[in-house]
Amino acid sequence: MLKFVLRRSLVMLLTALCLTFIVFFMTNLAPNLEKLAKSEASARMSDDEVASWLEKNGFGQPLLVRYGEWLGVLPGWTVTENGETRGRCIASPASAADAPAFCGVLQGDWGTSTVFKDSVGSILSRSLGATAWLMLWVMIVMVPTSLLLGVLSGMREGSKLDRVLSTVAIASTATPEYVSGVILVVIFASATAGLSPLLFEWGLISSKTLFLGTATSAMDGITFWNFALPVLTIALYGIGYIARMTRASMTEVMVQQYIRTARLKGVSFRQVVIRHALRNALIAPFTVIMLQFPWLLNGVVIVETLFNYKGFGWTLVQAAGNNDIELLLGCSVVAVFVVLVTQLMSDIGYVFLNPRIRLA
Amino acid sequence: MTDWDNTKPILEIENLSISFFTRLREIPAVMDFSCTVMPGEAMGLVGESGCGKSTVALAVMRDLGKNGRIVGGSIKFKGRDLTNMSEPELRKLRGSEIAMIYQEPMASLNPAMKIGAQLAEVPMIHQGMPRDQALALARQIVADVRLPDPDRILQAYPHQLSGGQQQRIVIAMALMSKPALLILDEPTTALDVTVEAGIVDLVKDLGEKYGTSMLFISHNLGLVLDVCDRLCVMYSGEAVETGNVAQVFDDMRHPYTQALFRSIPLPGADKTSRPLVAIPGNFPLPHERPKGCNFGPRCEYFTDGRCNAGDIPMVPAPGDRHATRCIRSTEIDWNAPIRIGKAVQKTPVGDVVLRMEDLRKYYNVSSGSFGGGVSKVVKANETLSFEAREGETLAIVGESGCGKSTFAKVLMGLETATSGKIFLYNQDIQDTPIEKRSTDTVSSVQMVFQNPFDTLNPSMNVGRQIIRALEIFNEGKSDADRHARMLELLDLVKLPRAFAERMPRQLSGGQKQRVGIARAFAGGAKIVVADEPVSALDVSVQAAVTDLLMEIQRKNRTTLLFISHDLSIVRYLSDRVMVMYLGHVVELGTTDQVFSPPYHPYTEALLSAVPIADTRVKKKRIVLEGDIPSAMNPPPGCPFQTRCRWKSQVPGGLCDREMPPVVTLAAGHQIKCHLSAEVLNGMEPVITIAAE
Amino acid sequence: MSDLLTWTGAAGPVLNPLLLALVALLLLAWVLQFMLSLFASGDTAVVLADGTLAARRGPADLLGMAARWLLLGVLAVVLAYLVLGLVLPGKPAKGIIGAMSAQFWPVWLALIVTFAVSLRFKRKLGLYGKLFDSPVGMVGFGIVLFWIFTAIFADIIITHDPLAQLSGLKNKVPGTPVPGEDNSYYLLGGDSLARDVFSRMVMGARRVLAIAPAATAFAFMVGITLGLPAGYFGGRLDTFLSFIANLVLAFPVILLFYLLVTPEIRVTGIPIILAAALFIFPVIFFCVLWNSRYFTDPKKRNIYVGLTLVIGLWAYSGLAFNADPLGVWSMDPNLLNVFVSVVFVNAPTVFRIVRGIVLDLKARDYVAAGQTRGEGPWYIMLWEILPNARGPLIVDFCLRIGYTTILLGTLGFFGLGVSPESPDWGSTIDDGRRLLSVFPHPAIVPALALMSLVLGLNLLADGLREESLKD
């Protein structure tokens, strides 16, 4: 078991290195750097000036060296100019002498955001905190709902309940977040359409809209009215997907011979489902839920943009849209890390849930 | 429920009819079926696949699924009609009064639940027994089904047990609340022969010990003879004959029963002097049953106007509770000698075409989950030496894990040998993988596969598949040429030429197997490896396919390497036999030599384990302990020493330490055993046929 | 200057209350049914004397009957709106729904013809014909076909130039008449730049359906060509390819898009390199396909492989490098960028699916039979294994077109790889969402369109799966 975790961790590390390098390469392409130079120094620089600016700011070295510096395994660059020493790890010329040689991600130095004029580390921790709340609520809504739906519809394949629930699940997987978000806002949070005008007219609500169309205020305090729509928007897509997986796995289990054995042992249908089918049926969805994280991350980005909630996704969009290289790199590392850790967890969890694998 | 009066039947099925309903039509699965099971009696239900025997069992459990319905008749269990019982009432019966055992032991145990919990559940539900008491009972029953170390087994998950152990657990589960009726649906079909023998013994003993009545469903007449008191032969949804086992076996009164017995290889049958008589035609599909007698179109005694006039009722036949569904049962001379099929000349055996010398095949496998563990060497074949001659049939016998499939792979060139030599017409090919072999070599060694449902590509029509083989073997000059040749091959395997356009799913199992044979002979194969070619087919079809293989062999003077675990058929068709166990050849000799003493201890056990459907045959009962060891982890010394009953006859614990040498007993008869010549010569025959 | 159009026109006063009543009753019936099904006993069917199966008339069954009739009623009313829209004269009488229905006439015609022909010959059409046995599949297929025909006939259907901005129609509600033009309306209103929402929605279908199926097909080519050997040979090749696939899959899609689909990246030539790598797969695939099959007959082989090479490389040069000497094949660089990214994102998943199926199928005896008669590995992969994997692959293909549609929408939503003018559904939703709470219609129309297309594809896949399992 330990060996397995170790192996997986090694593969994961290798994957993480490859991925961060790809992101580093893609964000440090020549056109991006040129844009960076122009936005940092002057928009009307000539090509030569851009080149010399880049050279002076440590961008002149080979890509791999710069990647090593960013990672913190190679010493940061230094340039001595007019008696002043500047460098990657040197905050101000005065402290040049006692600045550390290495300053990269491994040392906890994530660089500075050019857009927010703040250190990447603090921006990320702030935005991740905001997103964590969102994800927490999404999970609380999504997981039980989808498992319940899946089990209910899968336990009697072909019944009316199954057909209704399956259709609901299919419809919800067909609705990406940017569509369901729009529809939910129109129905619940539009002053001109949907339910809100009606409710307002009848005097049931005092504000113009039932729910808030943005979640910006949730940054300060989460309430049902500012948070329900974003959470629901992300959860809806996942619910459909996980419910379908659960249903498929449940229907597969329900026709197994051992379910028949249990039934013909005299076990009641309820007990057959709870004692015999459930554990076997939940093995597959567990993996699915874990592997949903990359997609949930997508949903987070869309929903935070749509509802203007300044979490991780919103930050990523800002960084990408404004050529904020260091911040984008930071976001990528976090995203990749989250995805890989969930993959590892899904593998390990699968082994624990499935006795057949554990000791095979 | 109170104890049932022992003079009244436990189970009484009367005129039961069951249908399955599809969107298009009603498909009758069982028609007008009646039978009674008395307390303590074992009733056998015999028939080929699709005859409705399992449907009857499921109807007794009232578990026919969504589409199946009982459309008529009654099933009385201890006098109460099951057909109109409510779900809660049924639930009380299931598992406590009626229990069922299935074909696939692995599939019938919950993989995510410990054995103990699964067993204890039964009395907890039915008797409201507390958990610890139920577990104690489970422990006792597990010991009853002769499983070693019951405490460990109760804590285990199903996948940690071997197939034989799993089936014992399933039996234990069925016995947890001492049911009055036990239904066994092909309980040993998925198991190896020697393991099967153990299970059959157990079932018989337990039946006697607990006084349980049994409904034993099987396609194997030999097994039914071993286990049952009475039997009921089914054909195409109907019971055609029912009676005492002895009566039905010796004084059958239905043409189908007779034809069935004539198509299975019993001792005495021989491929040249007394060939099997195959039942002509095919099993009717459920919605294409003929009018009148279902067996009519295939029956030797069919008379037009009578047999197809109307429904045929069950009529009594001589003997106790013996009945048959044949209106001509009193007219037919049942003792008339078998019309001997055309006896053929024994073909002389030619030169050596294939020779193996000390062939070894080892695999490196990494064990442990996710490939993290140490790599191990699996010795799939150890020092395999033999030769095969032109026109000869060499049977290779053994159970799972004995290395017969690996041997085939190495011969075909799908794998290369680890060491040793294979000579094909004096050309050594052991190191030449198939892609490096010449077309001639490839086309002269071909294979017929086991599973008819797998052997043909489901998305290519029959003709194309044969033509492809012709193309690959460079047969024929043009497309038209090859097409003509393909039609000839269909003729050769006795299939209508129209089948060229059919898709495999439109063919029956036997027909698919014939196409497989045609494909193997497309390049004029000289050596054909037949890997259990008939074991997945129904009994009546087996004979026809076997005959076909023999016939083509005679015509082409092909060398046939016949891999099988079924000793009956091996005795019937092979010239020489090679017995394998865990990668070793333990015995090799002519058929007569192998089937009579002196035996290798394993051959002896194997012979005893094979059920034979003949009341005249007396067998010595030798039941092997335990399961076949894993090839990953073979025992030291002699591979068979863990289960050998003769081990004590070898002095000095030699069996535990040393691999036995190959001993030649007579010309061409060799065994791998430490037993001394005296002990070997003192062995008694396992099978004796009582004089008539 | 005429009045605003109502939604249902002249038919409204009669049909609207009817529809409302029917829908209310239907919902009630469904809720009751749902509650009953939670407590229902499983078995209500009995066998009659004549052997037919009949349902016992319990309350649940009566309710079911009622629900079915009510549903039919609702559908009839909806159909009435559409038919009346076709026959009633004048747009005010037709109403918005009717007028739209009238605009869609070529689509209706094509749908009716297709369905009539397919239903007539369904027994001869294989899996496609069987689709018509499954109601779910039929509905899904209908929706998908609707959008396909819409894309084909988009030029006839639109009422205005989707790019034209007409003054005075900014953010106007659906049914607003166009000033200065007779009998001309913005059927679904105007957007924030005063363009016709209806026409943009129709044109958007063309854009989506031009990219999504083609991109999915390319992803399948790549996934199949790599997945087959990975599953069949296993070993190092499998380890390597699986590692690469997992690498791509570990990227959050949005991040990948932000990195791949930017205008700057075009300068670096990365999209062209990717395109060069991805677009060569179909050519390889078909060459290997023909060669493995016909190598025994060199004449035939040369014809097939030669044709594939000529056509394939010709298209390849045009699509990937924009260097087609005849100028037939070409792709807008912006589009190429989007196309390549979508293929790149989808291919690893297809790879995984194919690999899994191959691992399952390669243990079959017919594969062994192929091996023992000396077939090459590619023949076995492409002609013995692949045809038998078609069921799950077709189903996944449908699902994946839906997924690709969603991805394209995501791209549009973030304004990646599309010109701001483009009627693409994703970018239209993005434009509309800024004023969502005040003027919902510009965003909701493309949102519903996209949703219905993906829903149709999912239902179609579901129907196909159900029917292919019945074999």
Side-chain angles (χ1 to χ4, degrees):
Chain A
M1 188 64 213
L2 192 70
K3 209 163 182 177
F4 162 66
V5 175
L6 258 168
R7 260 175 72 95
R8 284 303 323 242
S9 309
L10 271 179
V11 173
M12 193 180 115
L13 200 68
L14 185 64
T15 315
L17 277 180
C18 291
L19 287 180
T20 47
F21 180 73
I22 294 170
V23 177
F24 191 85
F25 168 71
M26 300 287 279
T27 46
N28 281 278
L29 290 170
N32 292 341
L33 293 181
E34 192 183 321
K35 241 166 76 177
L36 177 75
K38 286 187 175 164
S39 64
E40 287 296 288
S42 145
R44 284 189 294 277
M45 284 201 292
S46 68
D47 286 357
D48 286 343
E49 283 168 330
V50 167
S52 81
W53 187 89
L54 288 176
E55 187 67 38
K56 266 188 259 172
N57 285 284
F59 293 102
Q61 306 164 76
L63 188 74
L64 263 175
V65 175
R66 279 192 287 132
Y67 177 66
E69 287 177 8
W70 173 80
L71 209 57
V73 294
L74 292 178
W77 55 269
T78 48
V79 175
T80 311
E81 196 183 23
N82 309 333
E84 227 175 51
T85 308
R86 295 185 299 111
R88 185 185 160 82
C89 309
I90 302 167
S92 65
S95 59
D98 41 50
F102 298 92
C103 56
V105 175
L106 294 178
Q107 284 78 28
D109 190 342
W110 296 62
T112 315
S113 157
T114 52
V115 179
F116 298 103
K117 308 290 177 210
D118 196 354
S119 83
V120 170
S122 66
I123 296 174
L124 278 180
S125 61
R126 204 181 324 127
S127 60
L128 276 174
T131 299
W133 280 110
L134 187 61
M135 293 297 265
L136 177 71
W137 281 106
V138 168
M139 282 294 168
I140 291 175
V141 173
M142 183 176 75
V143 174
T145 322
S146 52
L147 292 185
L148 190 70
L149 283 184
V151 168
L152 279 181
S153 76
M155 68 184 193
R156 285 188 212 266
E157 195 187 0
S159 67
K160 276 212 179 80
L161 184 67
D162 174 30
R163 267 180 280 159
V164 172
L165 293 182
S166 297
T167 315
V168 171
I170 290 180
S172 96
T173 40
T175 321
E177 290 87 349
Y178 52 89
V179 170
S180 53
V182 163
I183 293 174
L184 286 175
V185 167
V186 169
I187 294 178
F188 296 111
S190 162
T192 55
L195 289 178
S196 306
L198 279 177
L199 293 175
F200 185 69
E201 211 172 293
W202 296 341
L204 291 176
I205 48 172
S206 52
S207 59
K208 271 278 184 202
T209 60
L210 184 57
F211 286 90
L212 292 181
T214 74
T216 320
S217 58
M219 298 293 292
D220 306 319
I222 295 171
T223 66
F224 180 66
W225 302 110
N226 63 21
F227 221 48
L229 289 188
V231 168
L232 203 58
T233 307
I234 302 180
L236 259 183
Y237 187 83
I239 286 176
Y241 192 72
I242 300 174
R244 282 181 84 178
M245 287 292 151
T246 316
R247 176 185 177 272
S249 143
M250 190 73 188
T251 50
E252 200 188 309
V253 166
M254 286 307 282
V255 296
Q256 293 292 316
Q257 183 77 53
Y258 58 83
I259 295 297
R260 171 173 269 178
T261 310
R263 207 169 52 229
L264 298 190
K265 259 199 279 193
V267 183
S268 66
F269 186 76
R270 261 175 81 92
Q271 287 298 316
V272 167
V273 171
I274 294 170
R275 276 178 66 90
H276 290 267
L278 219 51
R279 177 162 174 194
N280 289 299
L282 289 185
I283 294 170
F286 171 79
T287 329
V288 172
I289 294 174
M290 279 311 190
L291 296 178
Q292 268 300 86
F293 267 88
W295 183 263
L296 280 181
L297 217 56
N298 251 1
V300 166
V301 176
I302 293 169
V303 164
E304 288 184 358
T305 313
L306 191 64
F307 288 93
N308 213 8
Y309 181 72
K310 297 189 173 63
F312 176 73
W314 184 85
T315 311
L316 191 141
V317 171
Q318 295 303 316
N322 295 306
N323 196 38
D324 191 341
I325 294 175
E326 304 248 270
L327 185 56
L328 186 57
L329 270 170
C331 287
S332 313
V333 172
V334 171
V336 164
F337 184 74
V338 168
V339 170
L340 292 180
V341 166
T342 50
Q343 272 179 7
L344 184 69
M345 275 164 63
S346 116
D347 282 351
I348 296 174
Y350 185 74
V351 174
F352 267 108
L353 272 176
N354 195 343
R356 250 182 294 189
I357 289 195
R358 196 190 318 173
L359 295 151
Chain B
M1 233 178 259
T2 50
D3 267 333
W4 183 247
D5 177 3
N6 269 354
T7 57
K8 289 191 199 151
I10 285 277
L11 182 74
E12 213 177 350
I13 302 176
E14 271 171 21
N15 308 102
L16 180 70
S17 295
I18 303 164
S19 287
F20 287 93
F21 293 85
T22 65
R23 230 188 288 176
L24 297 176
R25 57 175 158 247
E26 174 189 356
I27 297 173
V30 173
M31 287 105 55
D32 189 28
F33 178 88
S34 305
C35 85
T36 43
V37 182
M38 299 300 285
E41 197 174 59
M43 176 77 174
L45 274 186
V46 185
E48 297 172 85
S49 57
C51 71
K53 54 191 192 299
S54 297
T55 313
V56 170
L58 291 175
V60 175
M61 294 306 276
R62 283 285 313 279
D63 189 45
L64 288 166
K66 255 183 268 172
N67 303 324
R69 306 262 165 218
I70 295 172
V71 289
S74 65
I75 306 170
K76 288 210 183 76
F77 175 75
K78 290 189 174 176
R80 298 164 65 197
D81 194 348
L82 294 174
T83 52
N84 48 27
M85 258 191 200
S86 70
E87 197 59 30
E89 283 176 299
L90 282 170
R91 210 155 53 224
K92 262 183 229 141
L93 281 184
R94 290 173 180 163
S96 71
E97 296 269 339
I98 310 176
M100 188 157 175
I101 294 167
Y102 317 87
Q103 183 169 5
E104 288 284 340
M106 180 70 202
S108 30
L109 293 171
N110 188 337
M113 240 169 128
K114 286 188 177 158
I115 299 286
Q118 298 194 43
L119 288 176
E121 197 179 30
V122 180
M124 282 162 74
I125 298 168
H126 292 293
Q127 283 119 42
M129 203 183 266
R131 192 182 155 78
D132 47 344
Q133 221 175 319
L135 276 171
L137 179 66
R139 194 190 174 286
Q140 185 204 327
I141 304 260
V142 168
D144 264 8
V145 294
R146 299 175 206 156
L147 278 171
D149 201 355
D151 292 308
R152 186 186 62 83
I153 289 202
L154 287 185
Q155 287 302 312
Y157 284 101
H159 68 274
Q160 293 165 306
L161 309 180
S162 70
Q165 290 176 324
Q166 285 169 354
Q167 194 58 299
R168 281 166 199 261
I169 291 296
V170 175
I171 292 172
M173 195 150 75
L175 294 174
M176 279 302 284
S177 58
K178 316 250 179 336
L181 177 67
L182 191 57
I183 300 174
L184 301 103
D185 189 356
E186 306 257 7
T188 55
T189 308
L191 304 174
D192 275 317
V193 197
T194 53
V195 180
E196 171 184 83
I199 299 276
V200 167
D201 246 33
L202 175 74
V203 167
K204 268 187 351 194
D205 290 358
L206 291 176
E208 275 161 33
K209 181 173 170 188
Y210 293 113
T212 315
S213 307
M214 283 190 268
L215 195 59
F216 189 91
I217 296 162
S218 181
H219 66 279
N220 189 329
L221 286 165
L223 261 186
V224 170
L225 176 64
D226 270 0
V227 177
C228 301
D229 309 310
R230 293 171 51 76
L231 93 162
C232 176
V233 182
M234 290 188 74
Y235 180 79
S236 191
E238 289 176 330
V240 292
E241 185 165 6
T242 172
N244 277 338
V245 168
Q247 267 165 0
V248 176
F249 273 58
D250 297 335
D251 290 314
M252 69 264 303
R253 281 295 177 269
H254 194 280
Y256 173 64
T257 320
Q258 190 184 44
L260 204 57
F261 275 98
R262 288 181 181 175
S263 67
I264 55 176
L266 296 173
D270 183 274
K271 62 174 165 177
T272 48
S273 59
R274 239 192 79 189
L276 300 179
V277 187
I279 306 179
N282 275 314
F283 203 81
L285 292 172
H287 53 273
E288 290 169 359
R289 292 196 179 110
K291 192 165 187 277
C293 179
N294 281 344
F295 188 60
R298 303 172 75 186
C299 182
E300 199 180 336
Y301 309 105
F302 178 76
T303 29
D304 193 29
R306 287 181 64 198
C307 293
N308 54 2
D311 286 348
I312 315 279
M314 269 313 229
V315 292
D320 167 44
R321 290 194 285 156
H322 187 184
T324 172
R325 197 183 288 275
C326 178
I327 44 170
R328 301 196 58 207
S329 65
T330 51
E331 303 161 21
I332 298 169
D333 177 10
W334 294 100
N335 292 318
I338 306 174
R339 267 191 304 126
I340 302 280
K342 47 178 193 315
V344 284
Q345 278 295 308
K346 197 171 163 61
T347 41
V349 169
D351 296 333
V352 173
V353 289
L354 175 75
R355 199 167 82 238
M356 294 216 176
E357 280 175 10
D358 280 341
L359 185 83
R360 286 167 209 257
K361 177 66 193 173
Y362 295 172
Y363 288 104
N364 280 314
V365 288
S366 45
S367 63
S369 53
F370 299 95
V374 245
S375 73
K376 274 187 174 174
V377 176
V378 173
K379 299 175 177 174
N381 283 153
E382 274 276 28
T383 56
L384 211 62
S385 305
F386 70 91
E387 48 188 46
R389 293 164 181 276
E390 189 187 47
E392 181 186 48
T393 306
L394 174 66
I396 298 159
V397 178
E399 297 174 274
S400 58
C402 74
K404 46 192 180 168
S405 312
T406 307
F407 151 78
K409 275 187 192 160
V410 175
L411 174 61
M412 304 303 299
L414 299 181
E415 310 263 359
T416 51
T418 308
S419 71
K421 297 242 179 268
I422 306 176
F423 292 100
L424 183 70
Y425 294 110
N426 295 324
Q427 178 192 2
D428 56 335
I429 54 167
Q430 71 280 353
D431 296 325
T432 326
I434 190 153
E435 54 270 27
K436 298 223 179 79
R437 291 186 182 180
S438 69
T439 313
D440 264 359
T441 314
V442 171
S443 65
S444 62
V445 188
Q446 279 297 297
M447 193 157 169
V448 177
F449 293 89
Q450 174 175 16
N451 187 349
F453 300 95
D454 235 23
T455 186
L456 300 182
N457 184 340
S459 40
M460 207 189 270
N461 74 29
V462 167
R464 266 247 51 88
Q465 303 204 29
I466 298 177
I467 289 181
R468 178 66 193 177
L470 292 169
E471 279 174 5
I472 264 297
F473 295 148
N474 289 331
E475 296 278 324
K477 288 181 193 65
S478 63
D479 283 355
D481 225 20
R482 281 188 284 267
H483 192 259
R485 179 87 186 94
M486 178 268 290
L487 294 177
E488 282 169 33
L489 280 167
L490 284 180
D491 294 345
L492 178 73
V493 295
K494 296 184 179 137
L495 286 176
R497 289 189 165 199
F499 273 38
E501 303 301 320
R502 299 255 180 111
M503 293 308 270
R505 71 183 127 81
Q506 296 166 292
L507 271 56
S508 71
Q511 291 165 340
K512 283 185 203 170
Q513 211 55 323
R514 283 166 193 263
V515 177
I517 293 171
R519 192 177 55 186
F521 281 95
K526 285 290 160 206
I527 298 172
V528 168
V529 181
D531 186 0
E532 310 241 10
V534 294
S535 68
L537 300 178
D538 273 320
V539 188
S540 67
V541 186
Q542 279 188 3
V545 173
T546 316
D547 261 9
L548 176 73
L549 261 178
M550 298 283 98
E551 197 184 315
I552 300 177
Q553 180 191 26
R554 271 193 297 272
K555 208 181 285 173
N556 298 7
R557 295 190 52 72
T558 319
T559 306
L560 193 63
L561 299 182
F562 191 88
I563 300 178
S564 179
H565 68 273
D566 182 353
L567 286 176
S568 308
I569 201 137
V570 164
R571 188 211 319 254
Y572 169 70
L573 58 72
S574 57
D575 300 313
R576 290 196 302 138
V577 179
M578 181 163 103
V579 183
M580 291 182 74
Y581 187 79
L582 277 184
H584 292 265
V585 178
V586 294
E587 185 165 2
L588 173 66
T590 63
T591 309
D592 287 341
Q593 285 168 337
V594 171
F595 278 78
S596 54
Y599 306 109
H600 185 277
Y602 174 63
T603 316
E604 184 193 28
L606 206 55
L607 278 172
S608 157
V610 176
I612 298 174
D614 193 331
T615 48
R616 295 168 303 154
V617 168
K618 293 282 165 286
K619 277 194 303 185
K620 227 168 53 194
R621 212 61 208 155
I622 302 165
V623 174
L624 291 182
E625 289 300 314
D627 289 306
I628 303 167
S630 147
M632 290 253 232
N633 196 9
C638 173
F640 189 58
Q641 51 114 336
T642 51
R643 303 167 81 197
C644 183
R645 69 176 192 127
W646 293 88
K647 197 174 155 189
S648 55
Q649 307 275 334
V650 177
L654 211 55
C655 299
D656 292 328
R657 284 179 283 115
E658 266 175 53
M659 180 64 67
V662 176
V663 185
T664 306
L665 297 173
H669 187 199
Q670 56 181 59
I671 70 170
K672 204 180 240 183
C673 188
H674 284 303
L675 282 175
S676 62
E678 298 87 75
V679 180
L680 284 172
N681 286 330
M683 280 184 176
E684 291 166 4
V686 177
I687 298 171
T688 44
I689 301 174
E692 279 178 65
Chain C
M1 188 75 193
S2 40
D3 289 333
L4 267 180
L5 287 186
T6 58
W7 280 96
T8 48
V14 188
L15 290 180
N16 288 357
L18 184 63
L19 183 67
L20 212 61
L22 284 173
V23 168
L25 282 173
L26 182 62
L27 286 179
L28 186 71
W30 272 343
V31 169
L32 284 176
Q33 236 180 342
F34 183 78
M35 311 250 274
L36 268 179
S37 76
L38 286 178
F39 310 100
S41 62
D43 191 10
T44 52
V46 286
V47 178
L48 299 181
D50 59 350
T52 52
L53 206 61
R56 231 180 265 147
R57 289 288 167 87
D61 300 296
L62 282 177
L63 205 56
M65 290 264 289
R68 195 165 311 145
W69 282 108
L70 285 169
L71 185 66
L72 282 177
V74 171
L75 290 179
V77 174
V78 172
L79 194 68
Y81 284 131
L82 298 178
V83 173
L84 285 175
L86 284 169
V87 293
L88 283 179
K91 287 206 172 138
K94 290 177 197 281
I96 296 174
I97 293 176
M100 281 199 291
S101 163
Q103 286 306 123
F104 275 118
W105 70 265
V107 176
W108 304 135
L109 192 67
L111 268 179
I112 290 169
V113 170
T114 315
F115 266 78
V117 171
S118 305
L119 280 171
R120 174 77 185 71
F121 297 107
K122 73 174 176 181
R123 291 281 160 249
K124 292 181 185 162
L125 293 170
L127 184 60
Y128 169 76
K130 280 212 199 109
L131 187 62
F132 292 87
D133 287 341
S134 144
V136 169
M138 218 154 55
V139 170
F141 185 60
I143 298 175
V144 174
L145 219 53
F146 172 85
W147 285 112
I148 292 177
F149 287 134
T150 303
I152 293 173
F153 301 119
D155 293 321
I156 311 177
I157 297 167
I158 53 171
T159 52
H160 294 84
D161 178 0
L163 303 182
Q165 309 181 1
L166 301 188
S167 61
L169 287 170
K170 185 172 163 186
N171 289 330
K172 280 290 180 277
V173 293
T176 308
V178 175
E181 284 179 56
D182 243 9
N183 203 21
S184 170
Y185 296 84
Y186 266 16
L187 286 174
L188 291 175
D191 67 3
S192 57
L193 290 173
R195 296 170 297 195
D196 181 25
V197 172
F198 174 74
S199 302
R200 287 178 70 75
M201 183 265 289
V202 170
M203 275 319 219
R206 177 173 276 191
R207 204 183 136 82
V208 166
L209 285 167
I211 307 176
T216 312
F218 269 93
F220 263 75
M221 282 286 128
V222 177
I224 289 173
T225 316
L226 293 177
L228 284 175
Y232 186 76
F233 293 120
R236 276 164 210 277
L237 178 77
D238 182 26
T239 314
F240 175 71
L241 287 176
S242 294
F243 180 76
I244 302 282
N246 288 334
L247 210 62
V248 179
L249 287 175
F251 257 116
V253 180
I254 296 225
L255 183 61
L256 202 66
F257 281 158
Y258 262 118
L259 295 175
L260 277 178
V261 193
T262 52
E264 290 85 34
I265 204 157
R266 239 185 295 149
V267 187
T268 63
I270 288 180
I272 293 185
I273 298 171
L274 267 181
L278 295 175
F279 288 2
I280 196 71
F281 277 98
V283 183
I284 298 177
F285 177 84
F286 281 105
C287 284
V288 176
L289 186 76
W290 301 130
N291 183 47
S292 65
R293 172 79 175 74
Y294 291 113
F295 74 94
T296 51
D297 185 353
K299 215 172 15 174
K300 226 186 234 172
R301 188 258 317 262
N302 293 346
I303 295 174
Y304 279 111
V305 172
L307 270 179
T308 308
L309 278 177
V310 168
I311 298 174
L313 291 180
W314 176 32
Y316 179 67
S317 64
L319 294 178
F321 304 109
N322 206 6
D324 175 14
L326 301 178
V328 177
W329 302 96
S330 71
M331 210 189 247
D332 169 57
N334 232 339
L335 189 67
L336 181 78
N337 209 340
V338 170
F339 196 88
V340 165
S341 317
V342 173
V343 174
F344 190 69
V345 167
N346 272 317
T349 326
V350 181
F351 165 84
R352 269 200 192 175
I353 295 171
V354 173
R355 178 178 168 273
I357 300 176
V358 173
L359 282 179
D360 175 32
L361 289 184
K362 78 170 176 182
R364 299 294 166 97
D365 278 350
Y366 54 81
V367 172
Q371 289 167 336
T372 54
R373 67 171 183 259
E375 298 279 11
W378 283 101
Y379 177 86
I380 291 173
M381 283 182 244
L382 292 169
W383 293 91
E384 301 275 1
I385 295 179
L386 192 58
N388 295 305
R390 66 181 186 278
L393 288 185
I394 291 172
V395 170
D396 188 70
F397 188 73
C398 291
L399 284 178
R400 202 148 291 285
I401 297 178
Y403 181 69
T404 310
T405 309
I406 293 180
L407 283 184
L408 290 173
T410 312
L411 278 171
F413 183 76
F414 287 106
L416 295 169
V418 285
S419 57
E421 291 276 85
S422 154
D424 171 88
W425 288 340
S427 48
T428 320
I429 296 173
D430 183 42
D431 290 341
R433 74 182 169 89
R434 296 172 214 289
L435 292 170
L436 196 55
S437 51
V438 196
F439 304 110
H441 61 270
I444 200 99
V445 169
L448 289 177
L450 189 139
M451 188 180 127
S452 68
L453 173 59
V454 180
L455 181 65
L457 285 162
N458 283 7
L459 291 176
L460 175 63
D462 221 53
L464 282 173
R465 175 175 15 233
E466 210 172 275
E467 291 303 319
S468 70
L469 281 182
K470 279 186 191 160
D471 270 347

